[in-house]
Amino acid sequence: MRKQLASRVNTLSPSTTLAITAKAKEMKASGIDVIGLGAGEPDYNTPKNILDAAYQSMKDGKTKYTPAGGLPQLKDAIIDKLKRDQGLTYTRNEVLVGIGAKHVLYTLFQVLLNKGDEVIIPSPFWVSYPEQVKLAEGTPVFVEGTAAEQFKVSAKQIRDAITDQTKAIIINSPGNPTGMIYSKEELTAIAEVCREKDVWIISDEIYEKLVYDDKEHVSIAQLSEDAKDRTFNINGVSKSHSMTGWRIGYIAGDEEVVSAMTNLASHSTSNPTTTSQYAAIEAYNGPQDTVEVMRKDFESRLNQAYPKLSAIPGFHVLKPQGAFYLLPDVQEAVQKTGYANVDDFAHALLTEAKVAVIPGTGFGSDTTIRLSYATSIDLLEEGIARIDKFVRDHWKE
């Protein structure tokens, strides 16, 4: 039997986040006391009103196929949410519901990119962006956001990176893994470059509800009619409503592109899970108080964890403005503890200190590690204490 794989998957890198998380869970299952600071999901259960709505939909027999692009009622709930939160107006034909924001992005790249089309990806980046671009036969083009610039890229950097092959740029704000937020002024400058160069904007706003220190989330689509016309707004209920496993995300944008995505979805997934769609309707239409409860709790954890992490020898940390990640530069700690790179350092933290973190190499940053503070403050502080002890015990002058 011939088992040669398709060439499109031969260059893929596995998800570092999922791999580390799976390893940590495997160790826990075998009785090892591992503290997981790797997973990118809230530790809260889905709010009760959403669970109740899902259960009621099943009792009412709402368990059959839905339209490929999502229930009309859910599209309406998304449209209302975008109007309420960002002042943006969309029609049902401009909205598609997918199996999580990740799948929505995958489908977008499949219908948007031709072979050789370039997508500008600010670095550090979420691990799946470049892999999804490559799966669509596109070419990722990385533009580095340095710590000195809060890991953000400028309009000038984007302009300099644009070529005749550039199809789109990705903006992720608040960002994963950096937690940084683009200001209205920064986004305005980027939107102007995209207008001048006629480039699509893919705006990943999955962490929009998780902002701290009185910062403001601004969608680049809000800034002008042109910006809205060229922006694909990607979002979902995973982070905002602690619904990671329900797998509901959406895109709002150009009707022709969304129509093509809907056609593709009809041949690949049939429809997002029906019960999850009814849960998402309640998430957007129901009370939003639990969203703010979670946001305040994450902010409290950040404010407690940040100074402790910053005090670890060789750790240099920018305080994030959103999401629920810390991204310390640990290059000094790696060198002083005798490890070759952050991958080896992260592996040692897992096997020796029993703390799971994500090496930054998967995010395009080979001097950092990512820690999630979407866990209890007790576990978070214990995890940081273990890392601190590990570094001090292994430190070599």
Side-chain angles (χ1 to χ4, degrees), residues 210-215 295 298-299 302 320-324 373:
L210 300 177
V211 296
Y212 315 120
D213 294 332
D214 297 321
K215 297 293 182 181
R295 189 203 67 80
F298 291 139
E299 184 170 26
L302 170 61
Q321 302 162 340
F324 38 60
Y373 51 92

Side-chain angles (χ1 to χ4, degrees), residues 178-191:
T178 68
M180 295 304 172
I181 298 173
Y182 282 84
S183 69
K184 182 178 181 180
E185 292 72 25
E186 290 165 336
L187 292 173
T188 299
I190 291 171

